[in-house]
Amino acid sequence: MLSRFINDELPLALTWLIIGLLAGLVYALEIVGLDGSQTLLSPERARSLHISQMLYGFFPLILSLLPFALFQKEGVLSEVAIGHLRRYFVVWNLFLLFMSMALLFGNMRGLPFYDFPYQLTFLLAFSGLFYLFALVDALRRYEKRPLWVNVSLLVVIAAPIALIILMNPDYGQVEQTLVGPHGDNTLGMSFALIPIYYLLIKLSATRAFKPGWHGLWIIPLAGYAVSLFIRNFFHSLSYGEEWFFQYLTLLYLPLLWVWLRDAGVTFKTNPYLILSIWAFVFVDVQGNFLFIPEIRALIHRNDLVVGHAHIAMGLGVAFMALAILHHLLPERFRRVYAVIWAALMVLMVVALSIAGVIETGGFGGTPEPFLMIRPFIGALMLGMVLWMTYERVRVRIDSPLKLYHLTGLVSDAGGGVILILGGAALFALLGFDFGGTYEYIVFAFMIGTGLMHWFGLHRDAERFAALSATVRALCASVFAALYMAGTLDGVALLVALYDGAFALWYWLVLRGKE
């Protein structure tokens, strides 16, 4: 049931991952000299889009399915809950679309983790309403609800309210800049991952699993509460105090090892989960290692040394989500992809860390060769995700009408994306005027027309062909009229000729032959 749902939603979800990886690739190339100033993917916009898609796109969307994967395992998931999940995905995907466009057109808040306009927070919170409906439907099917179920319910109820309050530009906490090592904050963020790991281990368990050694998470939680009390009611934490709270995170390592052992989870059972926990262990040890002042001063004075936050997101949190997909769709998210992804991330970490140490004077040489490794590895990762997407969406082009739809999809949807990102540069290269207003609306309409062909490839090929041809003929007539009236330049004539020819291809050659 849930596997069928996520398989249906997978193409669009992977699209957000592709967009995020592409933005990261462009940013990496811009660091080594690519000029993106004439495109919407200028360095600051590319970086913001990359980070925002990683934080709010594919990975958190898939990670939010974790309770429902457990509900399915325990036999309490229904089609009613799946229906609510579909609505939840619709609204979240709409949020991601609006967020991406806002960031591409420069509407940014200048914050590292919440860069999109505050107004979009309400759309994100609205999606949580349908998530709550789905959760409640599953909960009422339990005769006796487990503790983790009740905790999940409280979190889902509180999350949208907290989101709107914390992200408010006037009194929200995210507008405040954190200065210093903030070790107690690291302790809190690390603790937030422990319940998720517990549920993932429970999902992947090969035998009855009852967690133990609770003191290893209770002590860090108590420490975090004490740190907040001291910081808010007495004084700012000293470096030594933050160091103490940071080191409490080391208690999580034996806790995770015991849970894995007791649940019988191995690399063969779920390679993504094991690699995620390995990344967490590395992050924990590395973060505490970098807290030593002398070491921090040597290698953590720049943004290129990959610190614990980068590895935690790129491997730890990412593989949490992929562990769920491996459980639900093992034939699509195979072990080989986990190994390739992890190997590429490790190579990128090493290359960027060496470049960062060179910049601080720790090593001799120049950092540029190592900086070039990042876009190369980024391109490989993007290629792997594109291949995984292709495996999911490929269809047989076994008729002239399907060829027609494939051509329209590539030319219009693909061309529209290219023009939105780099239309200003391309128009200048071809000698056309570019106002930067209505053109973007035309480019978006191109993408929409291309997506008609996407649906034509998968269902009702004749109907979607007729619809797209009608839309093209209407647009062609308007562009031709504006060109002949002298309102628009030669671009309008090219659009009219292209869309008119595409419509005639269907009406004169292909109609009725499916």
Side-chain angles (χ1 to χ4, degrees):
M1 187 186 305
L2 188 61
S3 298
R4 184 176 67 253
F5 162 74
I6 192 56
N7 191 54
D8 292 342
E9 298 289 338
L10 197 56
L12 182 54
L14 285 171
T15 298
W16 304 124
L17 179 56
I18 291 168
I19 290 173
L21 291 175
L22 177 62
L25 174 60
V26 171
Y27 179 66
L29 289 170
E30 287 170 332
I31 286 180
V32 294
L34 177 69
D35 182 11
S37 59
Q38 294 297 311
T39 73
L40 294 188
L41 280 174
S42 59
E44 65 277 3
R45 296 180 187 185
R47 183 177 186 273
S48 178
L49 181 60
H50 170 65
I51 293 174
S52 298
Q53 281 292 351
M54 294 299 106
L55 292 175
Y56 297 95
F58 176 81
F59 294 120
L61 193 56
I62 298 303
L63 196 55
S64 67
L65 293 175
L66 177 56
F68 298 95
L70 280 163
F71 292 152
Q72 180 172 265
K73 186 176 182 179
E74 297 180 359
V76 296
L77 187 63
S78 71
E79 287 292 349
V80 174
I82 294 295
H84 290 309
L85 279 180
R86 290 190 188 279
R87 299 179 184 93
Y88 159 70
F89 264 61
V90 166
V91 180
W92 192 303
N93 284 324
L94 192 62
F95 158 76
L96 291 175
L97 176 62
F98 275 71
M99 180 195 77
S100 299
M101 289 299 177
L103 297 179
L104 281 173
F105 286 97
N107 194 347
M108 297 177 290
R109 299 170 69 185
L111 297 171
F113 302 116
Y114 309 91
D115 215 13
F116 53 86
Y118 173 68
Q119 294 85 345
L120 296 183
T121 305
F122 291 90
L123 193 58
L124 191 60
F126 179 52
S127 71
L129 183 64
F130 298 105
Y131 190 88
L132 178 62
F133 291 159
L135 192 67
V136 169
D137 179 80
L139 298 192
R140 66 185 182 85
R141 300 176 188 278
Y142 278 101
E143 292 184 5
K144 182 179 180 181
R145 295 198 306 230
L147 176 61
W148 74 266
V149 172
N150 293 323
V151 171
S152 298
L153 179 62
L154 291 175
V155 170
V156 171
I157 293 173
I161 301 172
L163 187 70
I164 291 173
I165 294 175
L166 293 175
M167 294 183 66
N168 185 277
D170 296 322
Y171 50 80
Q173 294 297 305
V174 300
E175 294 285 353
Q176 301 181 19
T177 302
L178 291 173
V179 179
H182 44 273
D184 65 320
N185 203 36
T186 302
L187 174 62
M189 290 186 291
S190 299
F191 175 76
L193 299 179
I194 297 303
I196 301 176
Y197 276 128
Y198 161 68
L199 295 180
L200 284 169
I201 292 171
K202 182 178 178 67
L203 178 67
S204 304
T206 59
R207 51 177 177 256
F209 171 54
K210 185 177 182 180
W213 293 36
H214 296 295
L216 294 179
W217 64 262
I218 293 175
I219 293 173
L221 177 60
Y224 181 55
V226 170
S227 73
L228 291 178
F229 187 77
I230 294 173
R231 183 188 288 275
N232 287 283
F233 295 101
F234 290 97
H235 58 80
S236 298
L237 297 178
S238 67
Y239 196 95
E241 288 171 330
E242 292 203 36
W243 197 349
F244 169 77
F245 291 120
Q246 166 90 8
Y247 270 66
L248 291 179
T249 61
L250 292 173
L251 294 177
Y252 297 141
L253 306 188
L255 177 68
L256 291 173
W257 177 78
V258 169
W259 283 356
L260 287 173
R261 181 199 64 189
D262 293 347
V265 179
T266 64
F267 187 81
K268 184 177 180 180
T269 305
N270 195 321
Y272 292 94
L273 177 55
I274 296 299
L275 288 170
S276 175
I277 292 178
W278 284 357
F280 180 88
V281 171
F282 177 83
V283 163
D284 199 339
V285 174
Q286 183 204 35
N288 286 288
F289 190 64
L290 290 177
F291 219 86
I292 300 172
E294 293 78 12
I295 296 177
R296 183 180 182 84
L298 174 64
I299 65 173
H300 209 270
R301 294 182 298 179
N302 55 77
D303 293 330
L304 294 176
V305 175
V306 181
H308 47 277
H310 302 83
I311 303 171
M313 187 62 204
L315 270 178
V317 176
F319 273 36
M320 281 180 162
L322 293 174
I324 300 171
L325 290 176
H326 176 76
H327 175 80
L328 295 173
L329 302 171
E331 72 284 355
R332 296 204 184 279
F333 292 87
R334 301 188 290 274
R335 185 186 311 171
V336 63
Y337 293 142
V339 174
I340 294 173
W341 184 295
L344 291 176
M345 280 296 299
V346 168
L347 289 174
M348 186 183 294
V349 165
V350 172
L352 289 180
S353 296
I354 293 174
V357 174
I358 290 175
E359 285 200 338
T360 64
F363 296 153
T366 175
E368 280 71 21
F370 297 97
L371 294 181
M372 285 297 299
I373 294 177
R374 173 158 67 172
F376 173 72
I377 293 177
L380 292 178
M381 294 180 69
L382 178 59
M384 184 180 74
V385 174
L386 285 170
W387 174 256
M388 294 168 67
T389 306
Y390 169 74
E391 285 189 317
R392 167 59 185 83
V393 303
R394 61 183 173 186
V395 295
R396 292 182 60 188
I397 308 302
D398 52 6
S399 71
L401 196 54
K402 284 191 176 181
L403 178 61
Y404 171 83
H405 281 306
L406 179 62
T407 305
L409 173 65
V410 173
S411 62
D412 282 70
V417 170
I418 292 172
L419 287 170
I420 276 189
L421 296 178
L426 290 173
F427 271 53
L429 184 65
L430 297 173
F432 296 121
D433 293 331
F434 188 83
T437 51
Y438 87 91
E439 292 93 346
Y440 287 116
I441 299 174
V442 174
F443 301 156
F445 195 82
M446 282 180 61
I447 297 174
T449 304
L451 292 177
M452 291 185 200
H453 294 289
W454 161 266
F455 291 109
L457 278 171
H458 292 84
R459 64 180 73 91
D460 296 329
E462 191 77 45
R463 181 176 300 178
F464 280 106
L467 175 61
S468 65
T470 303
V471 170
R472 288 180 186 278
L474 180 60
C475 291
S477 67
V478 173
F479 275 101
L482 291 173
Y483 170 74
M484 290 183 288
T487 305
L488 294 179
D489 58 13
V491 174
L493 178 60
L494 291 176
V495 173
L497 291 173
Y498 172 77
D499 278 337
F502 220 96
L504 288 174
W505 180 15
Y506 168 69
W507 280 327
L508 300 180
V509 179
L510 301 176
R511 182 165 57 176
K513 293 186 176 181
E514 178 66 9

